[in-house]
Amino acid sequence: MTDTPDNTRDELREVFIGRQPILDKNQTLIGYKLLFHDTMEHHAGPTNAAAATADVVSKAFAELGLADVFGQVRAFIKIEGEFVASNFVELLPVETVVLEIAAASFPDDALLERCRELKRLGYAFALSGVTDVSDAAWPLIDLATWIKVDLDAVAADSLQAIARTLATTRRKLIATHVESQAQMELCHLLGFELFQGSYFAEPVVLEGRKLDASMQGLLRLIKLLAEEADLGRLDAAFRSEPALVINLLRLTNSVGAGLRARITSVRHAITALGRNQLRRWLHLLIFRRGAELDFARNPLLQLAALRGRFMELLVDRLHAGDGRLRDPAFLTGLMSVVPAALHMSMTDVLAQIAVDHDVRLALSHKQGTLGTLLALTESYDDNDINAVQALLAPFGSKAPMSMLGEILAESLTWVQELGSEAS
């Protein structure tokens, strides 16, 4: 096996792990495109850099437990020729990983044969960067299970012809850089089954300015109330239902509730509303007509839960001495997704929900401690390495880049568990 560079440990500390969701036409999460960026700049040369990066990717799976995190969804990882040729690639879990190769990167017959060997070992391949279907592309198409077409790289008038030709291969087609619902619908009509891009933040499973909760979540909470469950169990149950948390906050601050409390946490909202009022509200929701939102199939609710948990864990790492920040951090992360969910501006959202001053300042102006944590979380979601490094810099050695990968792994595990409970 290829030797591991002596400075692997240092480089692992400086690896940036990003992600982009891959969804089907129903916006069910199918997998993630994982982005591994080495932020170190002192490599001796390209060969060492390739080996070090390969080692980092492999060890990230081992040390962060990413194989367990993703569960039933796939992790798509872009690989280069030197990575394929090395034995590092065989450290990646066959059941979880999809090896993504670029159409223009494999002119070498030896590399192609190496990929075929890996396929015989059980690895699955995705082919990216397909802009036309030439004779040279067919060996790679035969190798792949998924084929990615970049909408930014293919002219609109050529897309239909490419899709028609690729449809004959019986491979699963993935449209990348999908930025709108209209693009997603067009690609679906052309035969694309999966989609990757920023349209993730513009879900269409919403009706009006409301978020309906899953029936199972409602029944679980009603059962807890009937059992006179303590506040801790109620708080935990609400955290698994982001849509209910958002509606709970709105109800708590509505005219009907007669309250204008500055809510600091989910527990605070439950206490302020009262168990009897909460029970009546939950029963009322059961009889409401309208589409139900299924957490396991709804990327927006997953993102809301992920943001909340990610910020909560950031507090544990960066402000370990201030436990009072944990609940407001979770609330801030969750509420940061509300404008997209309700198709409202944050100003309008905050006019309906009277959160406490620190949460409001974070959501409206990215100011204060929570504002910094939210800016860091959003920059990490956007895979903006420079912004992430700048925001981590004041925390010094206690905030290495690898910390974010560890928090992401833990947060994703938590969200996957929520999805399993909801299904």
Side-chain angles (χ1 to χ4, degrees), residues 196-252:
Q196 177 186 324
S198 61
Y199 92 104
F200 174 88
E202 302 175 20
V204 296
V205 290
L206 306 167
E207 293 186 358
R209 294 184 174 186
K210 66 180 185 296
L211 279 176
D212 294 323
S214 71
M215 184 64 71
Q216 287 187 4
L218 284 173
L219 294 176
R220 186 183 305 118
L221 281 160
I222 289 172
K223 182 174 183 290
L224 287 173
L225 285 170
E227 295 171 349
E228 299 295 332
D230 62 31
L231 193 57
R233 291 177 67 194
L234 287 173
D235 176 62
F238 265 103
R239 283 168 178 262
S240 70
E241 298 289 344
L244 273 179
V245 172
I246 295 167
N247 279 326
L248 172 67
L249 294 172
R250 298 176 82 184
L251 179 69
T252 304

Side-chain angles (χ1 to χ4, degrees), residues 9 12 58-66 406:
R9 173 64 59 178
L12 182 58
S58 303
K59 287 187 177 294
F61 269 83
E63 297 190 13
L64 297 181
L66 291 183
E406 293 164 2

Side-chain angles (χ1 to χ4, degrees), residues 247-376:
N247 279 326
L248 172 67
L249 294 172
R250 298 176 82 184
L251 179 69
T252 304
N253 291 284
S254 69
V255 175
L259 297 168
R260 297 305 298 172
R262 296 292 173 181
I263 301 302
T264 58
S265 67
V266 174
R267 290 186 183 217
H268 186 185
I270 295 171
T271 303
L273 186 62
R275 290 183 180 239
N276 289 335
Q277 180 79 343
L278 178 59
R279 186 179 294 108
R280 286 194 293 268
W281 173 60
L282 292 173
H283 278 99
L284 184 63
L285 286 180
I286 287 180
F287 295 101
R288 284 183 59 179
R289 294 185 179 274
E292 297 290 345
L293 284 187
D294 180 355
F295 179 89
R297 296 173 61 85
N298 189 286
L300 182 72
L301 296 188
Q302 292 180 25
L303 177 60
L306 184 66
R307 281 265 183 97
R309 182 61 172 164
F310 191 91
M311 286 193 59
E312 188 176 42
L313 293 175
L314 272 178
V315 166
D316 290 343
R317 300 295 186 93
L318 301 181
H319 300 280
D322 194 350
R324 296 171 302 174
L325 280 174
R326 292 188 89 249
D327 283 342
F330 181 88
L331 201 58
T332 300
L334 185 141
M335 285 193 60
S336 67
V337 183
V338 174
L342 301 183
H343 299 271
M344 301 167 64
S345 68
M346 183 59 78
T347 299
D348 289 339
V349 169
L350 292 176
Q352 294 187 27
I353 301 174
V355 294
D356 81 331
H357 177 70
D358 290 342
V359 175
R360 178 178 295 272
L361 202 60
L363 291 169
S364 58
H365 299 295
K366 300 289 194 309
Q367 293 179 1
T369 300
L370 293 176
T372 299
L373 295 180
L374 178 59
L376 175 57

Side-chain angles (χ1 to χ4, degrees), residues 318 366 371-380 384-396 399 403-404:
L318 301 181
K366 300 289 194 309
T372 299
L373 295 180
L374 178 59
L376 175 57
T377 301
E378 291 183 343
S379 296
Y380 190 54
D384 187 340
I385 300 177
N386 292 332
V388 167
Q389 288 179 316
L391 289 163
L392 285 178
F395 297 99
M403 175 195 70
L404 298 180

Side-chain angles (χ1 to χ4, degrees), residues 22-30 173 181 184-185 187-189 191-196 199 203-205 297 299:
I22 299 173
L23 313 171
D24 68 10
K25 64 182 179 64
N26 297 316
Q27 296 197 351
T28 300
L29 181 66
I30 303 301
L173 303 186
Q181 180 65 19
M184 190 275 285
E185 291 176 352
C187 289
H188 176 57
L189 289 173
F192 288 85
E193 298 180 53
L194 302 176
F195 311 91
Q196 177 186 324
Y199 92 104
V204 296
V205 290
R297 296 173 61 85

Side-chain angles (χ1 to χ4, degrees), residues 28-39:
T28 300
L29 181 66
I30 303 301
Y32 287 98
K33 166 69 178 292
L34 291 189
L35 309 170
F36 292 86
H37 301 289
D38 188 350
T39 60

